[in-house]
């Protein structure tokens, strides 16, 4: 089937920063994203898990954006402005998509 | 003294405390026992709704006390001032950075609603009445401490503060404040009649739900201690036990000045003594992301919360009843 | 009129309605208050189980009414016919496309079980009895409206309909229908004795659980209104309030013809007036994916549900008691 | 015989069994009815906490029975020996591989706590008393069977066993054991007074919660049967019904030897007859990953559990009362 | 370690369409897939979140298939036949896998 | 923006094996990982879903590690030692990351 080049950007970020990130993405003209829950993890700031937690200080989400390659830079700048002072991981992968008109 | 000891003993052998201890022990022993996140949140929604509602009903029954306004103001002032004391104390007792000290300080000005709930349940068992509006005071004391901490940082030339309007909204319209205040007004509006309709939901099973919630708190606190107890240097640990006592004394002073009932004074002490572990940590992650969350989370949930739950509350209640001559 | 007003006033000040209002306000103010999805689903399972069970017990106590069969048929006919009325009305009042109009119409033929639950709780408080089998009627009215809507589309030459066997099964064996009907039969089979065994679970705390569920409904409805209220053009909005009234009058006619008790008539009105927001939206996403979900979700949950909950139910109950002379 | 039949009939028409049947039927009919995972876990935490607590309170009320120690030992021996019987039987009745047979055998030595809970609820309805410490016996019987199974494999030269210290901890500090034993001690420590404080949470709604939990068990069991019933060759199926009967007879012997009350004997039979579906499957996935989970999960949850729930429990209770002359 | 070329296909699709999609995948001889929960997202049809939802009309899942490259086309056709009239995103990435005999 | 080459390793593994896997990862000097919940799936050992489950025998999680390319082999060996006898899928993708100093 006909596929089209795109980028898959996966931003793992603190849950409390999610709305700030998605607002920045929308301002950067990202047309869509998907948010995945995260159960736990580990990094320089130690290990954590959401089990039994009610507080919002710990816990992360993954925001996944599929975008046209030419929009990548704008997106990364927007994402970076939010994660800059915060913990979080941004990973970019080349991908192909169906229905390119959607992006 | 006798009363304190007997109250403490009764308290320590209540299903509530033992449930907390069970959770703590299970987590420290690395059992895989865990309460699902959604269930823990559901329990907390239940507790906030019930405690707010009952507070409102009590206000509707006894009428508004002339002291309501003053008590709210006192609560706000305490919440704003206690961080300054905590900050000074931390500078003396620990080697925490200015940033970490301010972040910790914010927690001690604010309050822990579960500690409050546990205290009301002790008061109830002991048949000591308190002002229903103390729930509203609890809500009012959540946020001011955050501003004090940010002011401490900005005064020190830190660039931590980012009080954008989003953060303001998050702090003031924080889910637990909204639910507590909202159900308080619902209880107030519907009064005894409303309570009757739903009391077999919010009154009868309340203590049992609290047990399960404290089991979960024990699990979370134990996991935190297991993984992050290295941040608990002696000075920091001592602060986590000294500060609630100091806070409680400030609360005692305020409560006596206001002329609250003995239960009201005890609750004022509990609020001042308790440290936030929901609203403030989240605000700190947004506003002071460079502060180390391990320190404030472990101190608040792993040290001060268990201290208040087991020894603090009976102590505060005993002191309050002694000082009000009840 | 007086009765309506006083009933409406009592209703508006019940913890149930105020909990809904709290949720709505919190979401509109963009508080982060939220009920976990798993908890919301658990609450809905509880409510469906309890309401079905109690309906069954009531049937087992009063024996099967000769009218049961006829009432079921009437419900099915109403569910199938109301979408046609709704569709005609939408064509007159709004500029929605044929597809969107049919999708919206399906919702108004089907029913909202929470509205039904809230109505039974109002009837109970007012001491008005109703037929226990109305729960079964509610279940029977869920699906026919979907077929009417698909027929409207196919008649218009649309290629929307994809009634494969999977879709049939999904509609007819939809979780909430199965749970409602299943617990109805369990209640019927075990009767008063069964009820006694579990009444402190399904009867005593029922209203309190309903409060938390409506808090959640308010949060979801408010979020929907905040994000999608642009679809609520005046005509659409007016439809969302006019249609339940028209539906209720059809229900009134059917209930009177059938000779139901005043509570039964009221519930028939409520079922006809209420709009689905669980079964039908899901069926529409599968069968008519091109229809805009914002329109039907916002109308059903954001307009008609609150209208029925606050003003509709007291109105219908008052009308039903007036017309049955009870 | 009459008694068995009438007990079985009452049992079959209880809301508890019918809720299980509803779940089973819904899953087999491929309804989308489902209980969220978090809610199911919350229900199981509630049940474990309540049953453990009540057992502890009962021990605190009646004092420690001299037989407690012996009964614990008997339970441990049964749990260790039953897998050997099961393994021999599987070799005769089925063509399962040595590995699969050992894995299945482990399940039948261990216990199912819900079956135990359902049995206590039947005993209660029938007014038959039992030793409170049977809860502790249940906990003690969870793990030994696992060791027997691993021994069976190692004896056969298999390289399955990986009893690292992690696995030991997981088995012994498994969440459900910790919660059961922990709440048992809490109940013991707080006694009748503790029970009074939380009985409207853990006693009154208990049966209703059990209904919802069994609805969920029915859904999970039905889904398993729908998707994996091909593993149920006739011999395997027959084993799933024969083994609990054999187990129950071993339990009967032990109970009579120990001189337990008729309720205690019945519970000993139920524990011996029931098959694990939580602790043992998880241990098998870690220690014997090559064994096919479809077989042991389907047998334990899809065959033996429903058999015990519907026919087994009334049979065991009838036998126990007959043999103890109660 | 020895790795093998494969494709990772990530299909973000409405939860109500999940069973239809996975049936189509199995028909297209896909040997396995993993379903991830999705918390929320945003796209041309607006923003959504599952918080507090009981309805099944909104909400998505992610179905992830790791497959041999030669099976890609068949999979995409199967997936496309299901998502065609529905909202949803299909993204394909080149990947490497251990234990190729499993795919 | 400045990005850096990295590898994204996604390990789908039984939930009961999660702690063993993450311990092995940390021993292999992986600096961080993120754990995602999994709703269900299908493979050679059949289809499964977590709906309504309380047992821990079924159910998987996804462990995602972003690492420097040179650390890949060590990670794969660690992962393999854990998944070897167990069901599970390991997929490796080339990616780019911001803030390489974090990995
Ligand atoms: N290399 C990594 N790969 C995947 N996730 C990571 C990685 N490093 C950090 N994370 C995630 O980001 C969180 C914060 O990382 P850190 O700032 O290093 O503590 C961790 O708890 C993980 O959930
Ligand atoms: N570019 C994208 N990247 C990631 N997810 C997307 C993207 N576009 C849409 N989605 C997801 O697909 C859903 C429906 O998209 P749409 O059909 O554009 O409304 C959104 O709510 C997102 O969850
Ligand atoms: N090709 C695949 N792509 C994605 N996930 C898979 C694949 N194969 C297996 N899985 C996942 O791994 C689990 C176990 O696979 P298996 O060992 O083949 O039964 C499945 O239930 C899926 O969740
Ligand atoms: Na304080
Ligand atoms: Na209707
Ligand atoms: Na057994």
């Amino acid at each position: 089937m006909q596929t089209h080049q795109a980028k898959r950007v996966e931003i793992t970020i603190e849950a409390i920063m999610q709305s700030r990130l998605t607002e920045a993405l929308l301002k950067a003209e990202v047309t869509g994203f998907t948010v995945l829950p995260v159960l736990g993890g580990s990094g320089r700031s130690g290990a954590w898990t959401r089990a039994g937690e009610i507080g919002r200080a710990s816990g992360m989400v993954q925001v996944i954006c599929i975008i046209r390659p030419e929009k990548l830079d704008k997106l990364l700048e927007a994402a970076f402005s939010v994660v800059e002072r915060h913990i979080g991981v941004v990973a970019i992968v080349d991908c192909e998509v169906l229905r390119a008109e959607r992006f | 003294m006798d009363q304190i000891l007997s109250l403490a003993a009764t308290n320590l052998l209540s299903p509530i405390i033992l449930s907390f201890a069970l959770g703590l022990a299970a987590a420290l022993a690395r059992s895989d026992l865990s309460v699902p996140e959604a269930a823990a949140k559901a329990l907390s929604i239940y507790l906030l709704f019930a405690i707010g509602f009952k507070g409102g009903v009590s206000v509707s029954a006894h009428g508004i006390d002339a002291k309501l306004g003053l008590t709210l103001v006192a609560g706000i002032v305490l919440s704003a001032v206690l961080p300054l004391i905590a900050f000074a104390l931390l500078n003396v007792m620990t080697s925490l950075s200015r940033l970490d000290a301010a972040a910790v300080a914010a927690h001690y000005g604010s309050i822990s609603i579960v500690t409050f709930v546990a205290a009301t349940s002790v008061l109830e068992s002991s048949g000591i009445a308190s002002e229903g509006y103390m729930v509203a005071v609890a809500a009012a004391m959540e946020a001011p401490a955050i501003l004090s901490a940010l002011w401490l940082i900005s005064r020190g030339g830190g660039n931590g503060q980012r009080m954008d309007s989003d953060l303001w909204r998050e702090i003031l319209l924080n889910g637990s404040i909204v639910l507590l205040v909202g159900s308080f007004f619902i209880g107030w509006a519907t009064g005894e009649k409303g309570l009757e309709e739903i009391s077999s939901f919010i009154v009868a099973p309340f203590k049992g739900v609290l047990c399960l919630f404290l089991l979960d708190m024990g699990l979370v606190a134990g996991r935190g201690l297991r993984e992050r107890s290295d941040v608990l240097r002696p000075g920091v640990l001592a602060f986590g036990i000294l500060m609630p006592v100091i806070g409680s004394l400030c609360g005692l002073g305020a409560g006596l000045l206001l002329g609250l009932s003995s239960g009201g004074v005890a609750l004022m002490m509990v609020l001042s003594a308790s440290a936030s572990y929901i609203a403030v940590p989240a605000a700190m992650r947004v506003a002071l992301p460079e502060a180390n969350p391990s320190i404030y989370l472990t101190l608040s949930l792993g040290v001060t919360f268990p201290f208040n739950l087991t020894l603090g509350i009976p102590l505060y209640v005993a002191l309050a009843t002694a000082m009000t001559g009840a």
Side-chain angles (χ1 to χ4, degrees), chain A, chain B:
Chain A
M1 289 194 73
Q2 172 71 26
T3 60
H4 310 265
Q5 288 297 322
K7 296 280 183 180
R8 178 185 188 277
V9 184
E10 174 182 291
I11 308 170
T12 308
I13 192 175
E14 289 176 90
I16 40 155
M17 299 304 291
Q18 177 187 325
S19 60
R20 285 176 177 79
L21 173 66
T22 55
E23 269 164 39
L25 292 179
L26 293 175
K27 268 191 207 137
E29 282 162 46
V30 165
T31 54
F33 55 81
T34 292
V35 185
L36 303 186
V38 173
L39 279 185
S42 179
R44 295 164 312 148
S45 43
W48 61 276
T49 150
R50 281 303 296 169
E53 285 279 355
I54 52 165
R56 299 181 314 120
S58 66
M60 307 192 88
V61 293
Q62 266 196 359
V63 177
I64 294 169
C65 301
I66 315 284
I67 48 158
R68 292 166 183 270
E70 61 267 26
K71 286 190 175 175
L72 180 61
D73 252 0
K74 207 163 168 193
L75 184 156
L76 290 184
E77 262 152 44
F80 189 71
S81 73
V82 176
V83 297
E84 198 181 353
R85 299 172 63 214
H86 288 266
I87 61 180
V89 177
V90 180
I92 306 120
V93 171
D94 286 319
C95 72
E96 288 176 279
V97 293
L98 300 183
R99 309 200 279 190
E101 68 283 4
R102 305 209 152 203
F103 298 94
Chain B
M1 196 62 208
D2 260 22
Q3 193 207 350
I4 303 187
L5 286 180
S6 97
L7 201 58
T10 326
N11 188 41
L12 286 175
L13 278 182
S14 76
I16 292 169
I17 306 292
L18 292 176
S19 296
F20 179 78
L22 173 57
L24 202 67
L28 290 175
R30 302 220 275 146
S31 164
D32 69 349
L33 180 59
S34 77
V35 176
E37 180 182 352
K41 282 187 178 159
L43 292 176
S44 81
I45 288 172
Y46 169 88
L47 292 175
L48 288 166
F49 182 78
I51 194 88
F53 195 98
K54 287 186 276 186
V57 170
S58 147
V59 166
S60 95
H62 301 115
I64 298 196
D65 199 308
K67 288 170 225 154
L68 167 57
L70 281 178
T71 314
L72 281 173
V73 171
I76 292 171
V77 171
L78 276 168
S79 173
V81 170
L82 285 171
L84 309 183
I85 302 178
F87 188 72
L89 215 58
L90 285 162
N91 280 336
V92 176
M93 296 175 69
T94 73
S95 57
L96 293 185
S97 74
R98 192 172 181 81
L99 198 65
D100 285 334
V104 168
H107 290 70
Y108 284 80
S110 184
I111 61 113
S112 144
I113 199 74
V114 184
T115 313
F116 179 82
V117 165
T120 59
S121 141
V122 167
L123 288 179
E124 230 170 69
S125 304
S126 319
I128 304 175
S130 63
E131 287 78 7
Y133 55 71
M134 289 309 292
V135 175
V137 178
M141 288 177 75
E142 288 232 33
I146 298 170
L147 301 185
S148 296
L150 297 183
W151 175 78
L152 282 169
I153 290 300
S154 70
R155 214 189 44 140
N159 66 345
Q161 68 285 25
R162 286 209 298 203
M163 287 303 294
D164 55 12
S165 69
D166 275 5
L167 183 55
W168 271 112
R169 202 194 46 248
E170 276 171 28
I171 293 172
L172 295 177
L173 293 182
N174 166 336
S176 49
I177 295 189
V178 167
L179 186 49
L180 198 60
V181 174
S183 55
F184 177 79
F185 280 115
I186 297 180
W188 194 346
T190 62
E192 293 284 352
K193 210 171 134 282
L195 182 63
E196 212 174 281
E197 288 188 60
I198 63 172
S199 76
S200 43
F201 178 64
I202 66 170
V203 179
F206 189 81
K207 266 199 190 162
V209 176
L210 187 56
C211 284
L212 286 194
F213 188 69
L214 282 175
L215 174 74
D216 177 58
M217 298 272 299
L219 288 166
V220 174
R223 208 194 303 138
L225 284 175
R226 213 180 66 213
E227 276 168 24
R228 299 186 299 241
S229 59
D230 51 315
V231 299
L232 292 182
R233 307 284 151 68
V236 172
L237 188 69
F239 170 85
I241 289 175
L242 181 58
M243 186 61 212
V245 175
I246 295 179
S248 77
L249 295 179
C250 299
L252 176 65
L256 292 177
L257 273 180
L258 289 161
L260 297 179
S261 69
S262 56
V265 172
L267 290 179
M268 201 66 163
M269 292 175 75
V270 168
L271 289 174
S272 307
S274 71
S276 172
Y277 60 86
I278 300 186
V280 179
M284 291 300 113
R285 288 309 300 149
V286 175
L288 301 178
E290 291 87 358
N292 181 355
S294 297
I295 302 171
Y296 49 74
L297 285 174
T298 314
L299 252 187
S300 163
L301 191 56
V303 178
T304 300
F305 177 67
F307 169 74
N308 278 329
L309 195 65
T310 51
L311 302 179
I313 292 177
L315 180 71
Y316 310 149
V317 171
L319 261 176
T321 49
M323 299 295 289
T324 53

